[in-house]
């Protein structure tokens, strides 16, 4: 994982001084100072402080990036980390208006996607994510792609937006649209067809997420088999690490559907324990893991997870469900 170090925020862009540390083939590290011109999913471009010339490096060699954020950017990030989503959005909007660096604008947009997702505004989150992809098709923010992994009531605006996404030439947009409409009575068949095509996409991120999304149809129709679950588990292992949260959640649902509560709990727990960047999904998965353990006769372990939901995810709707579960279980 790349270490991100933020220097004292500069009020003026001219005060910025960036530093990037790289890992050399022999294992040693080297630091370069200058100005980061661009930083995307493939390369980082730096204007060297020593010569003024630009050099490009593979992002896979980077171990640390040091750069400045504006005060509004800092305030937005602080509010986000405190789960004050609305406040974070206000600060981040101000930061975005002021920010000229393309690569930092993408970071701010990714933070806004997180806030909007936690607030349940998946439509606006999707639009912002697609702005990131338009700027950097190879973006490393794909783990924040606001797909739907559970049934959700869509607004008329959501449906219109999703139909437009499915007609896009961009794979990420089609994936988003299909995710929104896979359970729609009118558009579900079209969405399923889009997912089938994307399941063989050359981009492993699109391919893996499309395959995961397609599992929702089998779960809804009650057609999951043990063989399906073995296939799903293997496909998850081949997905990029940061994209496994939703697929693990659906794997857990599949194990429940086939009467394997302990395996369901194990699958669910990958989300809050390892892939917890989506707080709402992590809270839901932790709650369902608790219920699965209780159903399997492991009541104490299940109650421990219920208490975890009430504390760690106290700001989510699932905390109330967990408290009710603890109350029903008695002392």
């Amino acid at each position: 994982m790349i270490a991100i170090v933020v220097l004292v925020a500069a009020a003026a862009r001219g005060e910025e001084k960036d530093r990037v540390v790289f890992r050399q083939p022999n294992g040693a590290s080297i630091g370069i100072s200058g100005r980061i011109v661009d930083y995307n999913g493939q390369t980082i471009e730096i204007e060297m402080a020593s010569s003024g010339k630009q050099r490009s490096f593979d992002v896979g060699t980077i171990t640390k990036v040091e750069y400045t954020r504006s005060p509004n950017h800092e305030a937005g990030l602080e509010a986000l980390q405190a789960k004050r989503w609305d406040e974070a959005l206000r600060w981040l909007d101000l930061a975005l208006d002021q920010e000229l660096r393309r690569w930092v604008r993408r970071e701010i947009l990714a933070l806004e996607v997180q806030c909007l997702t936690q607030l349940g505004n998946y439509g606006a989150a999707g639009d912002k994510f697609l702005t990131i992809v338009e700027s950097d098709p190879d973006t490393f923010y794909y783990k924040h792609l606001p797909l739907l992994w559970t049934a959700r009531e869509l607004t008329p605006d959501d449906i219109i937006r999703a139909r437009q996404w499915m007609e896009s030439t961009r794979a990420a947009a089609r994936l988003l649209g299909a995710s929104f409409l896979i359970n729609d009575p009118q558009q579900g068949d079209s969405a399923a067809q889009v997912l089938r095509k994307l399941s063989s996409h050359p981009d492993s991120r699109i391919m893996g997420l499309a395959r995961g999304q397609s599992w929702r149809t089998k779960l809804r129709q009650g057609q999951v088999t043990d063989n399906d679950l073995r296939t799903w588990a293997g496909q998850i292992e081949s997905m990029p690490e940061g994209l496994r949260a939703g697929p693990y959640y659906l794997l857990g649902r599949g194990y429940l559907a086939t009467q394997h509560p302990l395996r369901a709990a194990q699958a669910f727990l990958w989300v809050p324990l390892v892939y917890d960047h989506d707080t709402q999904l992590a809270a839901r998965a932790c709650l369902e893991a608790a219920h699965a353990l209780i159903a399997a006769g492991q009541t104490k372990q299940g109650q421990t997870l219920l208490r975890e939901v009430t504390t760690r995810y106290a700001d989510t709707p699932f905390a109330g469900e967990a408290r009710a579960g603890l109350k029903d279980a008695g002392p």
Side-chain angles (χ1 to χ4, degrees), residues 1-35:
M1 181 179 293
I2 299 170
I4 302 294
V5 180
V6 182
L7 305 179
V8 177
R13 296 275 71 87
E15 297 175 21
E16 294 166 6
K17 186 175 181 180
D18 308 320
R19 185 171 184 270
V20 182
V21 178
F22 301 91
R23 182 183 60 255
Q24 296 181 299
N26 63 5
S29 295
I30 183 172
I32 296 176
S33 296
R35 181 178 67 89

Side-chain angles (χ1 to χ4, degrees), residues 122 147-154 179-180 182-184 213 216 219-220 249-250 253 281 284 288 318:
Y122 283 80
L147 300 176
L148 301 185
W149 295 101
T150 62
R152 185 179 183 85
E153 185 175 351
L154 300 177
S179 172
F180 274 48
I182 190 64
N183 290 336
D184 184 78
Q213 282 288 310
R216 294 172 60 198
L219 286 167
R220 186 182 73 251
Y249 173 78
L250 294 185
R253 297 295 303 173
L281 187 63
R284 180 189 287 269
E288 296 199 31
F318 306 103

Side-chain angles (χ1 to χ4, degrees), residues 14 20 38 41-42 102 105 128 134 145 165 171 181 185 210-211 248 258 265 268 272 282 287 293:
V20 182
D38 197 18
Q42 293 290 330
R102 290 179 302 167
R105 289 180 61 84
K128 286 187 179 289
E134 185 175 2
L145 178 63
W165 286 341
L181 297 176
R211 288 178 176 178
Y248 264 124
T258 53
F268 285 137
L287 179 67
L293 287 173

Side-chain angles (χ1 to χ4, degrees), residues 287 291 306 310 318-330:
L287 179 67
H291 290 319
L306 290 176
T310 65
F318 306 103
E321 294 183 42
R323 282 190 291 270
L326 286 168
K327 184 176 180 181
D328 291 342

